[in-house]
Amino acid sequence: AKADPEFGAMQARELQYHLQGVLAAFPVVVRIGKGYVEACPKGIDKGVMAERFLDVVQSADPRRAQPVEFVLCIGDDSSDELMFS
């Protein structure tokens, strides 16, 4: 059986509001994405993690003289926008 998308969106918003209330005292951001609800530490997003990944890759081999030349980021969700900036 297929789920009702409107009901699912309503439940996601309700969960987001509930989590925001429960986690209000903590440095957490609650986001709704395309088919998910996530709670992340403030200041952590796909953009921050992409930068961190590049730092780790470039520092993994001290002999690496050249920086990473090309990065391909693909996304289909509003949370992916942070990765592109």
Side-chain angles (χ1 to χ4, degrees):
K2 241 182 168 177
D4 179 6
E6 288 181 30
F7 183 63
M10 182 190 73
Q11 286 184 309
R13 283 190 301 276
E14 188 176 318
L15 177 59
Q16 180 188 28
Y17 298 143
H18 179 74
L19 288 173
Q20 286 171 333
V22 170
L23 300 172
F26 300 95
V28 174
V29 176
V30 180
R31 297 184 188 99
I32 292 181
K34 191 175 182 179
Y36 65 90
V37 176
E38 69 179 7
C40 303
K42 281 186 181 171
I44 302 295
D45 56 49
K46 290 180 183 180
V48 171
M49 293 310 299
E51 282 185 46
R52 178 71 179 125
F53 175 76
L54 285 173
D55 290 344
V56 168
V57 167
Q58 291 182 164
S59 65
D61 185 357
R63 299 166 293 167
R64 185 183 188 96
Q66 298 286 328
V68 174
E69 291 182 27
F70 179 78
V71 176
L72 174 65
C73 294
I74 300 173
D76 67 346
D77 194 273
S78 60
S79 66
D80 298 325
E81 294 295 323
L82 300 166
M83 182 172 49
F84 303 134
S85 59

